[in-house]
Amino acid sequence: MSEVIGTGRVKRGMAEMLKGGVIMDVVNAEQAKIAEDSGAVAVMALERVPADIRAQGGVARMSDPDMIEKIKAAVSIPVMAKARIGHFVEAQILESLGVDYIDESEVLTPADYKNHIDKWKFTVPFVCGATNLGEALRRINEGAAMIRSKGEAGTGDVSNAVTHMREIGGAIRRLTSMRDDELYVAAKEFQAPYELVKEVAQTGKLPVVLFTAGGIATPADAAMMMQLGADGVFIGSGIFKSGDPARRAAACVKATTFFDDPKVISDASRGLGDAMVGINVADIPVPHRLADRGW
Amino acid sequence: MKVGVLALQGDVREHLRALQDCGVEPISVRRPEEIKAVDALVIPGGESTTIAHLAQTFDVFDLISERIKSGLPVYGSCAGMILLADRVLDATADQRTFGGMDITVRRNAFGRQVDSFEIDIAMQALTHAAMRAVFIRAPWVEQIGPGVQVLSSVTREGVSHPVAVRQGHMLATSFHPELTEDSRIHRYFIEEVCKSA
């Protein structure tokens, strides 16, 4: 076989290399550098962190290519960027810029309320959010090479990330205990392709890496999500909306590596200054909840 | 023989599985006492800057570096190759490596993720059959010292770049055999590199 780019193995493999790491939202080159120096495995380049998108309102779109280029030039670790759900032209632009991963993200305003991007058509890999197993498998069926729990971005409230991670993990555990003839109905109920449902039932895990996102603001949050089965952590507003971003970033990286060692997590939690103020998810009116975007 | 996989960050699980396929019972290691106890070490794929950062934060950097220099058999894939190199190009300003191998490695030499690729490579020292190799934001070796053996290379714009190298008890690949079902590289590490150390 000759040389080939953009294979499933290359796309999914890229996410495997990020495991056990923290991916941080950054809005400029300085923040990107702080993230890299703190031990981030990748950065997510965007114009406004979710907390600001939430506060300022309006339509949230893909970032300015100039800004993405500056961040790419500033760091040697992978650079990810967000496209709106269904906005395949934003994805084409991001691919042409040479970003390393595209997040088809509910944090931005959706461009298509019915269809997601056909991710198989791209060489660049995609990560997508999911609130449950069926949603995760539908995204994988469309070509996503990595999944993240959605949580509720921009809140600093970890409760939805917990709900979504438990939902995905619980559904996988139930599938593994089913008889073969029960998987057909399971596929119908999950609204997901039978072949993917069967694969998950056999292997006991998603066929791609599963990160967590949405509301993670402290080292303890990161470690809890790892203990709940996440392969790694996205931190959005939690770092650069806090009092001492460099210190908090490094602390979250430590807690993600030693997620099962309370002594390390406790040391990492000392003297971090103010966490982001945050909003309780329950106080956000339903139409303003980002996790409900995507279908 | 106790084989450890350095578990600070990266595709640890895949290396553990590949080593199991070779009949050894590997363990993941990240604390000083765990690293002191192993007879061989695998440094996985991942982000070389992150792994180096964590190794320094958790006080295992010098320990690993010294153990490698005093003969611990070691294999590194991708980020692991960078971390085994004495010299790194396109590194961050303060990036350190464990070192040990007399090689100069260029980070992300094959390009960004959109350039990541699979290809069949030849590796005559190990096997006569071609091997499917997966390169992800991969480095290549730019210069080698006298004691370094090149096991395989990939050509770019007419120039041949080493992607698998061995120097005595140290083995490094730009690519990720742990992402395929093919365990020939891991077997070579266990049966040849470790035995000769």
Side-chain angles (χ1 to χ4, degrees):
Chain A
M1 281 185 289
S2 57
E3 183 167 339
V4 50
I5 57 169
T7 62
R9 198 148 56 183
V10 159
K11 290 175 172 179
R12 292 178 180 189
M14 165 77 204
E16 303 285 356
M17 300 311 143
L18 302 172
K19 279 189 304 197
V22 181
I23 300 167
M24 302 181 193
D25 278 6
V26 297
V27 301
N28 56 45
E30 293 71 42
Q31 290 187 355
K33 201 71 200 114
I34 291 172
E36 180 172 58
D37 291 343
S38 309
V41 286
V43 291
M44 177 74 70
L46 73 178
E47 238 147 48
R48 295 180 285 170
V49 295
D52 289 334
I53 291 173
R54 196 179 278 292
Q56 293 161 8
V59 175
R61 310 178 178 92
M62 180 193 80
S63 298
D64 185 327
D66 273 347
M67 173 268 192
I68 293 170
E69 300 260 329
K70 278 184 196 146
I71 288 173
K72 270 177 57 198
V75 294
S76 65
I77 55 177
V79 175
M80 302 183 164
K82 290 183 193 286
R84 282 180 267 177
I85 290 174
H87 206 315
F88 50 86
V89 172
E90 284 189 349
Q92 290 164 8
I93 293 169
L94 292 173
E95 180 170 72
S96 78
L97 293 174
V99 305
D100 296 299
Y101 239 96
I102 295 176
D103 184 1
E104 186 182 19
S105 177
E106 70 283 359
V107 167
L108 305 183
T109 309
D112 188 329
Y113 281 89
K114 200 165 179 186
N115 305 290
H116 280 69
I117 297 169
D118 179 359
K119 294 167 273 288
W120 296 114
K121 287 193 167 161
F122 290 79
T123 302
V124 65
F126 283 75
V127 55
C128 289
T131 59
N132 58 54
L133 181 61
E135 198 177 355
L137 295 179
R138 288 194 293 279
R139 296 295 85 79
I140 293 166
N141 192 45
E142 296 156 2
M146 179 180 185
I147 295 291
R148 54 174 173 76
S149 69
K150 280 183 178 170
E152 188 57 32
T155 60
D157 179 347
V158 76
S159 62
N160 273 23
V162 170
T163 306
H164 300 155
M165 191 57 72
R166 282 193 184 274
E167 181 63 39
I168 293 168
I172 291 173
R173 287 188 292 279
R174 283 194 297 282
L175 272 187
T176 59
S177 66
M178 283 184 189
R179 284 162 50 103
D180 283 352
D181 58 2
E182 292 167 344
L183 294 176
Y184 298 103
V185 176
K188 188 189 83 176
E189 286 169 353
F190 284 125
Q191 299 178 50
Y194 168 74
E195 286 304 325
L196 283 175
V197 169
K198 192 175 164 199
E199 185 181 343
V200 172
Q202 283 169 348
T203 61
K205 63 186 217 34
L206 286 184
V208 303
V209 164
L210 173 64
F211 267 50
T212 184
I216 292 130
T218 68
D221 289 349
M224 177 168 68
M225 297 314 298
M226 293 296 286
Q227 288 195 27
L228 284 173
D231 289 319
V233 182
F234 283 88
I235 306 187
S237 320
I239 304 270
F240 289 100
K241 284 285 157 189
S242 74
D244 188 346
R247 211 155 162 192
R248 184 165 294 266
C252 290
V253 169
K254 277 190 214 173
T256 301
T257 300
F258 280 83
F259 65 88
D260 53 358
D261 187 332
K263 176 82 175 58
V264 175
I265 303 163
S266 123
D267 286 345
S269 305
R270 289 172 204 276
L272 296 181
D274 296 332
M276 71 178 283
V277 176
I279 317 165
N280 297 316
V281 174
D283 295 339
I284 302 172
V286 172
H288 296 288
R289 294 189 191 170
L290 304 176
D292 297 339
R293 295 170 169 177
W295 24 88
Chain B
M1 188 172 65
K2 244 171 122 176
V3 183
V5 178
L6 185 63
L8 293 170
Q9 191 274 320
D11 69 337
V12 177
R13 205 158 56 207
E14 286 65 29
H15 276 288
L16 291 171
R17 186 199 45 74
L19 288 165
Q20 278 159 1
D21 289 349
C22 301
V24 295
E25 285 179 28
I27 48 169
S28 57
V29 295
R30 48 187 186 176
R31 295 181 176 82
E33 62 274 20
E34 294 165 346
I35 291 163
K36 279 178 194 157
V38 295
D39 305 310
L41 184 67
V42 172
I43 305 173
E47 273 308 308
S48 60
T49 51
T50 303
I51 296 172
H53 174 91
L54 287 164
Q56 290 170 81
T57 304
F58 292 106
D59 292 329
V60 294
F61 191 95
D62 294 334
L63 170 65
I64 294 170
S65 195
E66 283 155 20
R67 285 219 63 193
I68 292 169
K69 271 153 208 150
S70 57
L72 178 72
V74 63
Y75 165 49
S77 70
C78 197
M81 171 189 262
I82 294 166
L83 287 161
L84 287 175
D86 280 341
R87 296 166 300 277
V88 181
L89 302 172
D90 293 340
T92 59
D94 53 353
Q95 186 169 355
R96 293 176 64 200
T97 63
F98 302 133
M101 295 190 85
D102 188 6
I103 54 174
T104 305
V105 166
R106 186 177 292 282
R107 282 182 74 201
N108 304 337
F110 287 100
R112 304 191 69 95
Q113 174 59 17
V114 286
D115 307 306
S116 293
F117 62 102
E118 295 182 20
I119 192 172
D120 283 343
I121 58 167
M123 208 174 291
Q124 294 300 332
L126 277 72
T127 173
H128 294 297
M131 182 178 290
R132 195 71 181 159
V134 181
F135 293 79
I136 297 176
R137 287 171 50 92
W140 67 44
V141 178
E142 207 138 303
Q143 289 172 321
I144 57 167
V148 179
Q149 180 191 5
V150 175
L151 301 173
S152 189
S153 298
V154 168
T155 302
R156 279 289 181 275
E157 292 169 1
V159 182
S160 174
H161 301 284
V163 294
V165 288
R166 177 181 173 186
Q167 182 182 350
H169 62 286
M170 297 171 287
L171 175 70
T173 62
S174 303
F175 55 91
H176 296 281
E178 74 277 12
L179 290 183
T180 67
E181 301 297 308
D182 188 337
S183 56
R184 279 177 285 175
I185 296 270
H186 289 82
R187 203 170 287 282
Y188 175 73
F189 175 60
I190 298 297
E191 292 175 3
E192 303 289 334
V193 179
C194 291
K195 294 267 160 67
S196 72

